[in-house]
Amino acid sequence: MEKKPAPIKWRVATIGFGCCLVFFSCNRSERVALALDFSQAHTWRYMFGVDITGSVASPDSSRNFSSSLRTYLTGEWSPHDVGAIRFRTGQTMISSNFLSEQERIHLERQFENQVIFLSPKEGSVSAVDTALPVLLNIGGWDLFRSFSRVLPVLPEAPQRIGGSWDRERTFPLETSKGNATGWLYQSFTFDSITGANSSRHASISWRFSYRIQPDSASVLDSLSLRGAGSGNTVIDIDKKRMVKAHAFFEVPPKNGARVKTAWQESVHL
């Protein structure tokens, strides 16, 4: 019996491989509008989690600490909030090895039912109530800042895969040690597209650095004034919805400080 020539199979495979290459090339050259628009649904829900671990060391003692927070963020779209996304916090659970039971319960109640606005293009996060409490304040860092670190800042113009953009902003800080100015720099990269047709997801990653400039030399003199981290998110391109996000942040101890505080923070959305 005469055998079928192998080159036919090879040609089919080659054609298939060529199609993949053409699709991949087109995919990379396509400019994609990366945007968030939750107006397609009146409500939506995310689980928001923060885990903090660290240590405090002095010449005569040292201790480790850990805390975590879990709550749900409910989106409440409103046509009056042009260009912004509105989140409301739900029932909150906090665990900590350094808070008393009374302090823990008090913080849980403080964090519930807070309304927060996010601007996806500007990267700004603001509370409706300007007296939003500072939660689990460790070294002048708080969970309200955790929320801003896990959310991406999106570009004004459509981007190709591999495209990058950055954001830099400052904001005032009030701590128990005094007032200061916070400075945040973020560098973003559009990494990839997965899926096809009406179910395409864009992966975005970023790195950021953060520092505090005290208003006076004596303020925050024992606290670390800088930190750095990274983050990533997945966005549904066509529905303009954020699927998930994660950020990691680290604060090293301050050189020369008598009491050295170091900690790591992991945030999930």
Side-chain angles (χ1 to χ4, degrees):
M1 179 181 294
E2 185 179 357
K3 294 183 179 180
K4 294 182 180 181
I8 294 178
K9 294 183 178 180
W10 171 247
R11 284 196 296 270
V12 172
T14 303
I15 291 171
F17 181 67
C19 291
C20 291
L21 285 177
V22 171
F23 174 78
F24 181 73
S25 177
C26 293
N27 206 18
R28 289 194 65 87
S29 63
E30 176 189 7
R31 287 187 177 272
V32 177
L34 302 172
L36 295 178
D37 178 8
F38 291 87
S39 62
Q40 299 179 41
H42 290 290
T43 61
W44 59 92
R45 205 175 190 212
Y46 292 99
M47 193 280 287
F48 177 58
V50 182
D51 297 296
I52 298 174
T53 59
S55 63
V56 179
S58 64
D60 53 359
S61 66
S62 64
R63 66 181 178 89
N64 296 324
F65 60 82
S66 63
S67 293
S68 67
L69 175 145
R70 296 292 185 273
T71 189
Y72 279 99
L73 298 176
T74 300
E76 300 175 312
W77 179 78
S78 170
H80 303 294
D81 305 330
V82 179
I85 298 172
R86 177 186 177 107
F87 292 98
R88 181 183 295 273
T89 60
Q91 183 176 1
T92 303
M93 294 185 295
I94 294 174
S95 63
S96 175
N97 67 353
F98 66 90
L99 293 174
S100 68
E101 184 66 7
Q102 184 177 3
E103 290 173 322
R104 186 188 65 79
I105 293 174
H106 177 64
L107 288 176
E108 287 181 342
R109 291 174 178 171
Q110 279 186 307
F111 199 66
E112 286 182 17
N113 207 35
Q114 295 287 343
V115 179
I116 303 170
F117 285 97
L118 160 72
S119 172
K121 296 294 184 183
E122 298 177 5
S124 60
V125 175
S126 59
V128 173
D129 181 3
T130 56
L132 183 73
V134 175
L135 303 172
L136 294 183
N137 194 332
I138 303 170
W141 308 79
D142 62 80
L143 288 173
F144 184 57
R145 302 301 172 195
S146 300
F147 182 72
S148 64
R149 281 192 283 270
V150 78
L151 297 170
V153 184
L154 300 178
E156 294 289 343
Q159 296 287 322
R160 292 189 179 97
I161 293 176
S164 61
W165 62 98
D166 54 23
R167 291 291 187 274
E168 182 178 350
R169 57 193 175 97
T170 60
F171 40 82
L173 291 174
E174 295 182 5
T175 77
S176 59
K177 302 293 184 178
N179 296 333
T181 300
W183 176 87
L184 177 66
Y185 174 78
Q186 295 170 292
S187 177
F188 298 86
T189 302
F190 180 13
D191 295 316
S192 64
I193 296 177
T194 57
N197 300 326
S198 62
S199 182
R200 299 187 305 162
H201 289 172
S203 295
I204 300 170
S205 63
W206 63 91
R207 300 194 66 82
F208 56 87
S209 57
Y210 184 66
R211 62 181 171 84
I212 296 176
Q213 179 64 49
D215 288 353
S216 65
S218 61
V219 175
L220 307 175
D221 56 356
S222 65
L223 303 176
S224 181
L225 302 181
R226 62 183 63 248
S230 60
N232 59 78
T233 187
V234 174
I235 292 177
D236 188 313
I237 295 173
D238 300 288
K239 294 182 180 179
K240 299 181 181 180
R241 299 285 292 273
M242 187 163 50
V243 178
K244 60 182 178 179
H246 173 263
F248 176 78
F249 190 71
E250 186 170 18
V251 180
K254 184 178 181 180
N255 292 331
R258 183 178 182 277
V259 178
K260 296 182 180 295
T261 302
W263 61 282
Q264 300 82 40
E265 173 183 338
S266 184
V267 191
H268 309 269
L269 189 65

